[in-house]
Amino acid sequence: GVAMATCYLGRLEALRGNIAEARRLFAEPLERYEQINASSFIVEAEIYRLEAEAMAGNPNRIGVPAELLERTRRIGDPLLTAMLTRIGAWLACLQGRYGESQTMSTEAFELADSIGYPYEAAFALRVRGTTKAGLHQDPQADRDRARILFEALGVVELPASLT
């Protein structure tokens, strides 16, 4: 319980733009999860940590590790798969690989939407909107739909890296 709560606090700090604090908060849960070999929790924490690094805006220093993608697929949790796909899309977008980003963000949106996770679907739409802007396409429909989803969930402040 404590490790999970600390991990979620780390994600919250990352979403607020406090990347250094997020990094600090992720360290303990990962250690605890590894001690008890809680593979699905390890993967979830690693995805949150990767998300924080993507939000830090260091796209050329990081990417989605193939090993993490494989472990995520093995676990079979569609939400974790959607998250990791969306993070990969965001990194591709930041690196200027807009075609790849558009494909991945669409996949992430469709998966999150199909399993009933509007929060993750809204994130994917924000990434796709940013990608469309990079492709000189109109991003407004995706941004509007994301805003509607976030508002319906009571989100009052968008994550720092998505504004």
Side-chain angles (χ1 to χ4, degrees):
V2 171
M4 184 179 298
T6 304
C7 191
Y8 290 152
L9 286 173
R11 185 173 192 216
L12 180 62
E13 289 300 322
L15 293 171
R16 289 179 172 161
N18 301 326
I19 305 303
E21 180 64 7
R23 288 175 181 141
R24 186 189 72 72
L25 288 167
F26 288 136
E28 182 184 339
L30 276 166
E31 184 179 318
R32 285 183 182 210
Y33 293 151
E34 288 169 0
Q35 288 173 352
I36 61 171
N37 199 27
S39 59
S40 64
F41 290 118
I42 292 169
V43 166
E44 183 176 4
E46 288 178 353
I47 289 172
Y48 289 159
R49 184 171 60 182
L50 182 63
E51 180 180 51
E53 294 303 323
M55 289 181 180
N58 299 315
N60 296 320
R61 292 187 8 212
I62 60 170
V64 175
E67 173 268 334
L68 179 57
L69 183 60
E70 177 57 33
R71 285 189 294 135
T72 302
R73 288 183 178 148
R74 251 194 330 257
I75 289 170
D77 183 328
L79 176 58
L80 294 179
T81 301
M83 290 176 65
L84 192 56
T85 303
R86 187 244 319 147
I87 294 164
W90 180 244
L91 292 169
C93 180
L94 292 173
Q95 294 168 351
R97 299 187 338 258
Y98 298 118
E100 181 182 347
S101 178
Q102 188 170 28
T103 299
M104 292 176 75
S105 58
T106 297
E107 288 174 14
F109 166 73
E110 290 173 353
L111 180 55
D113 189 52
S114 74
I115 59 174
Y117 282 94
Y119 190 69
E120 186 58 37
F123 272 124
L125 285 170
R126 288 293 300 190
V127 172
R128 190 169 72 180
T130 301
T131 298
K132 284 181 177 179
L135 290 167
H136 306 290
Q137 299 173 1
D138 186 4
Q140 203 56 50
D142 284 338
R143 289 178 177 167
D144 288 345
R145 190 165 178 197
R147 181 185 43 77
I148 290 166
L149 288 170
F150 280 130
E151 286 176 357
L153 293 166
V155 175
V156 295
E157 182 180 337
L158 284 177
S161 67
L162 294 179
T163 55

